[in-house]
């Protein structure tokens, strides 16, 4: 059967005029697999693989029956229909890649045999035996877990954005212009001569998933104006795809990626997707039986449907390269963008997104505004108006005058306002400012003197949003029968939701928006571990040096005063010398990192488990140990050099010698080499041990930015508990070994165990604390974002509470492990206002939150 199948596949490929590479590109099956199949070297054939090859070859019913007949000896059970026959343009857009081959008629059961029961819709096929089936089971479990987490997160995000309050806005779409989409024949993957079926001409938020399922290529572009609801459409598409059931449900898990930060000239799409999956879903760092991470395996297996949100947010000079990189792929994906920016990229690349259909969001009508805004003004917010007034029940009287002018279409001011309020973003801002804030009359939006243009109206809504959502609120008392418990709950609620001063909040948010501007491009991901980069590099280097010096000084004093037989005065002098020199060494090392890599550290995607299994991490211990060893050796060597310099300086001070004395210089050079080797090898061994204890984060522990921060704080605590004792012993015991090895080359060297333990204890405690505070994401958050930035008035003293509160108020949104501003328009407005006011701003005015 193997030879017959290989010969048949090779003949069908030759008839189609395809090379093995071209068929691999069309099917997603590797060239190596195709070559092994055609040469008969593959002993076990995955039915899904053969089905993918048949779809790539656009085989007709006769050819598929022939393939099914060849496969029949290995799969004697009836083979249900799967895939799309050549020329069939039905709705079978979502084909199960692992489904068996199609056959037009089922085989008759043998006499006396019981017919096999029909599989239930959506049920998984019976797993095969062998290593391949083990990998499939692991990936199937990972995909199911990822789907549950994606659905949970975006359901919560949809609730937070109040999409369904009071009801979803009627966001409608039409077919995108033909010049921005591929040919219908290409979208439907039809051979020459077959007429394509027409795509749905229009739809709304509820029908976008159904429209997507009808696209055989699985590639869709969602276009629209700024604030027109593209992100909301993407969220609804993801939730509807995950909520589907039945045999047409896609096996791919739709995951939203903010594509604005992608640089296609520096990072391949596949690697970028894997990196973001690891950032937002750290549990996918677990290893598969094949050795790769689950994130990489899911992407490579085609089990992730990328929903790339915000193509227009890519830097202008990189959009063409990004579109060309996307056109070099054939995998299903969804892309959202503003129409103008996408059209420019299409023009520059001379091609739209290949195989992609397109829809364009339409503006909201005055009737839509009338139905929606009249129901957002609750009776309690009518500022004295009687409930159920002229605007109808539910308090629509607040908007009656505005809606009447909008419906008439005769007032130029009403026309400008209708244009502004045709997008969900501006409607949400207007609702917040007028329907939910007492004492505000939306009729002022019709004042042509104050708002002569549409842009002035938009600026007014953007400027009034932050002060409105930060207006003081009275916290409700906790509903509990226990007075003490109620008071404790009240305190916790007040801590979570502070009454920040609106002007201070606007300034802090403006600083964060300004921080996201880097050179000639914007960033949109507000990551807590990168906020410290808003400080000047020189300030960060100096802070690292000072903090490290303090850690080493205090460690030296603590260790020497407790165990070393020297006077307190001598101990104080020694610490005062060793600390600054050690701090200078750490500062120099950090300065080099900052010069070449920015100096910020990504949060650890793992935690330490001191006992038990490691959930797949560590299956390649030699490579993991080698990578970690090589990464920390330079820092350890620099620290050893600093320690040698400190000893030389201490000796010069006590003996009254010059630092240029040959009697000091020669021992200094020897000690720099010896201590550099001791500290570097000890650091490499310790951090290699840490790598062996690492295990991926749980799904829930890093589901939010605050969760990831908490998980990293716990990880750093555990690292310190391991680093201090193990580094102490490694320096003390490893120092003796290094000295014995070098004694024959460098001459007589002394390393007594008690002295080695003292040096090791100082190095372990000082080095562990310096690493935790200066060279981890949580440590830099602590010293930069929680100390320096509040001291300069650029952030409050509790930045994590402020960020979480801004999210709850609707100023920020969450995208995995990072925050983003509610909309890029709001980010740009706050950043521009901050830069404009910065010259007249006094930091002392904004010290601490108001309660």
């Amino acid at each position: 059967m193997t030879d017959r199948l290989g010969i048949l596949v090779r003949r069908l490929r030759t008839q189609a005029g395809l090379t093995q590479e071209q068929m691999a590109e069309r099917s997603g099956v590797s060239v190596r697999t195709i070559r092994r199949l055609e040469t008969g070297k593959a002993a076990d054939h995955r039915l899904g693989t053969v089905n993918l090859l048949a779809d790539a070859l656009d085989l007709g019913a006769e050819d598929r029956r022939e393939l099914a007949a060849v496969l029949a000896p290995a799969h004697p059970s009836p083979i249900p229909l799967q895939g799309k026959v050549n020329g069939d343009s039905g709705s079978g857009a979502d084909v199960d890649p692992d489904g068996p081959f199609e056959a037009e008629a089922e085989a008759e059961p043998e006499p006396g045999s019981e017919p096999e029961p029909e599989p239930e819709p959506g049920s998984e096929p019976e797993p095969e035996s062998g290593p391949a089936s083990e990998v499939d089971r692991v990936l199937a479990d990972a995909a199911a877990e990822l789907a549950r987490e994606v659905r949970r997160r975006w359901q919560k995000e949809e609730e937070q954005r109040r999409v369904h309050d009071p009801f979803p806005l009627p966001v409608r779409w039409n077919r995108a212009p033909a010049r921005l989409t591929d040919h219908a024949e290409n979208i439907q993957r039809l051979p020459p001569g077959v007429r394509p079926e027409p795509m749905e001409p229009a739809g709304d938020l509820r029908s976008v998933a159904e429209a997507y399922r009808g696209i055989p290529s699985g590639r869709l572009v969602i276009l629209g104006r700024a604030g027109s609801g593209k992100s909301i459409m993407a969220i609804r598409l993801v939730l509807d795809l995950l909520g589907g059931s039945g045999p047409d449900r896609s096996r791919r898990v739709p995951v939203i990626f903010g594509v604005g930060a992608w640089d296609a000239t520096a990072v391949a799409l596949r690697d970028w997707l894997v990196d973001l999956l690891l950032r937002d879903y750290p549990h996918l760092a677990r290893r598969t039986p094949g050795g790769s991470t689950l994130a990489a395996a899911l992407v490579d297996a085609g089990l992730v449907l990328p929903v790339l949100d915000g193509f227009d947010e890519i830097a202008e000079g990189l959009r063409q390269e990004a579109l060309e990189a996307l056109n070099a792929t054939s995998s299903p994906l969804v892309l959202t963008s503003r129409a103008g920016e996408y059209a420019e990229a299409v023009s520059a690349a001379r091609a739209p997104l290949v195989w992609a259909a397109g829809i364009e969001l339409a503006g909201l009508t005055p009737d839509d505004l009338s139905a929606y805004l009249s129901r957002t003004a609750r009776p309690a917010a009518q500022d004295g108006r009687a409930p159920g007034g002229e605007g109808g029940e539910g308090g629509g009287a607040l908007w009656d005058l505005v809606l009447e002018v909008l419906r008439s279409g005769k007032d130029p001011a009403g026309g400008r306002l209708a244009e502004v309020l045709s997008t969900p973003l501006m409607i949400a801002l207007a609702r917040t400012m007028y329907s939910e804030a007492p004492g505000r009359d939306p009729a002022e939006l019709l004042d042509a003197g104050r708002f002569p243009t549409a842009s002035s109206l938009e600026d007014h809504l953007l400027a009034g949003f932050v002060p409105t959502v930060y207006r003081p609120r009275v916290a409700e008392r906790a509903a509990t029968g226990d007075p003490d418990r109620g008071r404790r709950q009240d305190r916790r609620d007040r801590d979570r939701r502070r009454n920040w001063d609106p002007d201070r909040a606007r300034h802090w948010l403006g600083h964060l928006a300004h921080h996201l501007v880097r050179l000639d491009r914007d960033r949109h991901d507000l990551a807590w571990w990168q906020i410290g980069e808003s400080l000047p590099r020189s300030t960060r280097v100096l802070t690292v040096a000072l903090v490290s010096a303090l850690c080493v000084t205090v460690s030296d004093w603590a260790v020497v005063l407790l165990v070393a037989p020297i006077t307190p005065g001598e101990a104080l002098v020694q610490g005062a010398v060793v600390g600054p020199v050690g701090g200078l060494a750490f500062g120099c090392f950090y300065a080099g990192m900052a010069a070449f890599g920015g100096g910020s550290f990504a949060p650890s995607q793992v935690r330490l488990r001191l006992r038990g299994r490691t959930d797949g991490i560590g299956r390649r211990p030699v490579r993991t140990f080698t990578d970690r060893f090589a990464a920390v050796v330079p820092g350890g060597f620099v620290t050893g050099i600093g320690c040698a310099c400190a000893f030389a300086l201490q000796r010069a001070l006590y003996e009254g010698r010059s630092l240029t004395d040959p009697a000091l210089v020669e021992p200094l050079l020897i000690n720099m080499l010896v201590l550099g080797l001791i500290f570097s090898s000890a650091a490499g061994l310790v951090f290699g041990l840490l790598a062996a204890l690492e295990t991926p984060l749980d799904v829930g522990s890093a589901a939010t930015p605050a969760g990831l921060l908490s998980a990293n704080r716990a990880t750093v605590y555990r690292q310190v508990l391991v680093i201090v004792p193990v580094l102490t012993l490694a320096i003390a015991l490893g120092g003796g070994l290094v000295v014995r090895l070098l004694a024959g080359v460098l001459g007589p060297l002394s390393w007594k165990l008690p002295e080695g333990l003292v040096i090791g204890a100082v190095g372990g405690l000082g080095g562990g604390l310096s690493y935790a505070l200066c060279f981890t994401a949580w440590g830099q958050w602590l010293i930069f974002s929680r100390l320096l930035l509040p001291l300069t008035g650029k952030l409050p003293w509790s930045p994590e509470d402020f960020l979480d509160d801004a999210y709850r108020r609707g100023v920020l949104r969450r995208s995995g492990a990072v925050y983003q501003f509610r909309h890029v328009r709001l980010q740009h407005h706050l950043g521009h206002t901050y830069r404009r006011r910065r010259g007249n701003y006094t930091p002392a005015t904004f010290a601490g939150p108001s309660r």
Side-chain angles (χ1 to χ4, degrees), residues 687-761:
F687 282 91
L689 175 62
L690 288 178
L693 297 174
E694 290 173 349
T695 185
L697 294 172
D698 296 330
V699 179
S701 66
T704 65
L708 187 58
L709 176 61
S710 177
N712 271 256
R713 179 171 56 245
T715 297
V716 172
Y717 287 167
R718 290 186 174 93
Q719 285 178 332
V720 172
L721 292 178
V722 174
I723 289 174
V724 173
V726 177
L727 186 57
T728 298
L729 294 176
I731 292 174
L733 302 178
L737 178 61
V738 171
V739 166
R740 282 195 295 271
L741 291 175
L742 297 179
V745 179
L746 301 178
L749 299 174
S750 175
W751 185 271
K752 299 179 180 179
L753 184 59
E755 296 176 352
L757 286 172
V758 172
I759 296 175

Side-chain angles (χ1 to χ4, degrees), residues 118-198:
E118 289 288 334
E120 296 183 2
S123 62
E124 295 292 332
E126 191 70 22
E128 301 176 17
S129 60
S133 61
E134 180 184 358
V135 174
D136 291 341
R137 284 194 297 270
V138 170
L139 290 184
D141 293 341
E145 186 178 31
L146 177 62
R148 287 192 296 268
E149 180 61 18
V150 169
R151 185 175 184 181
R152 185 191 68 80
R153 290 191 190 185
W154 289 109
Q155 279 181 334
K156 186 174 181 180
E157 190 66 21
E158 194 177 54
E159 293 172 1
Q160 172 64 23
R161 300 188 191 190
R162 304 172 66 183
V163 172
H164 299 281
D165 181 17
F167 60 88
L169 278 167
V171 179
R172 304 179 185 87
W173 54 264
N174 302 306
R175 276 202 301 252
R179 62 187 177 85
L180 300 181
T181 64
D182 204 346
H183 298 292
E185 293 84 355
N186 295 340
I187 297 171
Q188 298 181 22
R189 309 298 305 276
L190 299 176
V194 179
R195 305 189 69 179
E197 294 289 330

Side-chain angles (χ1 to χ4, degrees), residues 19 24 33 42 112 256 388 423 457 641 649 662 731:
T19 65
T33 300
I256 296 179
T423 64
L457 275 169
I641 291 175
L649 179 60
I731 292 174

Side-chain angles (χ1 to χ4, degrees), residues 8 65 71 74 86 185 202 211 234 289 316 355 405 432 438 479 493 624 695 751-752 757 771 796:
L8 179 57
R65 277 197 297 270
L71 288 172
N86 183 9
E185 293 84 355
E316 183 176 358
W355 298 345
V405 173
T432 302
D493 291 341
T624 302
T695 185
W751 185 271
K752 299 179 180 179
L757 286 172
Y771 163 78

Side-chain angles (χ1 to χ4, degrees), residues 106 154 289 358 423 445 471-472 616:
E106 294 184 356
W154 289 109
T423 64
L445 297 174
R471 65 186 185 276

Side-chain angles (χ1 to χ4, degrees), residues 198-424:
M199 180 184 169
E200 289 293 329
D204 57 16
L205 196 65
R206 297 167 297 180
S207 63
V208 63
E210 181 181 356
Y212 176 76
R213 290 190 180 102
I215 301 173
S217 66
R219 292 163 77 92
L220 174 67
V221 178
I222 302 175
L223 303 175
R225 297 165 50 197
S228 59
K230 299 182 294 297
S231 296
I232 295 297
M233 181 77 74
I235 294 174
R236 180 37 44 192
L237 172 62
V238 166
L239 292 177
D240 286 346
L241 290 178
L242 290 174
S245 61
D248 66 334
R249 186 173 69 178
S250 173
R251 297 177 65 251
R252 298 177 183 268
V253 180
V255 181
I256 296 179
F257 300 89
V259 75
W262 178 37
D263 182 356
T265 63
V267 185
L269 177 65
R270 179 262 185 196
D271 297 336
W272 180 75
L273 294 176
V274 171
D275 290 343
L276 284 191
L277 283 175
L278 291 174
R279 185 197 72 181
D280 295 339
Y281 306 91
H283 69 283
L284 295 180
R286 296 198 302 266
R287 300 283 178 182
T288 67
S292 64
T293 63
L294 284 175
L298 288 172
V299 173
D300 292 340
L303 295 178
V304 173
L305 171 64
V307 181
L308 307 178
D309 187 26
F311 177 83
D312 53 281
E313 296 173 2
I314 297 177
E316 183 176 358
L318 298 175
R319 292 185 199 127
Q320 176 185 347
E321 288 78 4
L323 183 57
E324 291 173 349
L326 294 175
N327 283 342
T329 69
S330 59
S331 302
L333 60 88
V334 178
L335 184 73
T336 75
S337 176
R338 282 186 286 186
E341 284 77 356
Y342 180 73
E344 291 176 0
V346 168
S347 177
R350 297 187 177 182
L353 183 64
V354 297
W355 298 345
I359 62 176
E360 187 168 15
L361 305 188
L364 300 170
T365 66
D367 290 338
D368 297 332
L369 301 180
S370 179
Y372 186 82
L373 290 175
S374 62
R375 289 175 58 178
T376 62
R378 268 61 170 194
Q382 293 300 305
D383 194 23
R385 296 174 176 84
E390 295 181 2
E393 296 184 10
L398 178 67
W399 289 93
D400 274 357
L401 177 60
V402 173
L403 296 177
E404 182 180 351
V405 173
L406 293 180
R407 283 192 293 264
S408 69
K410 298 178 181 179
D411 191 336
R416 287 192 295 270
L417 183 58
E419 178 186 354
V420 170
L421 296 183
S422 63
T423 64

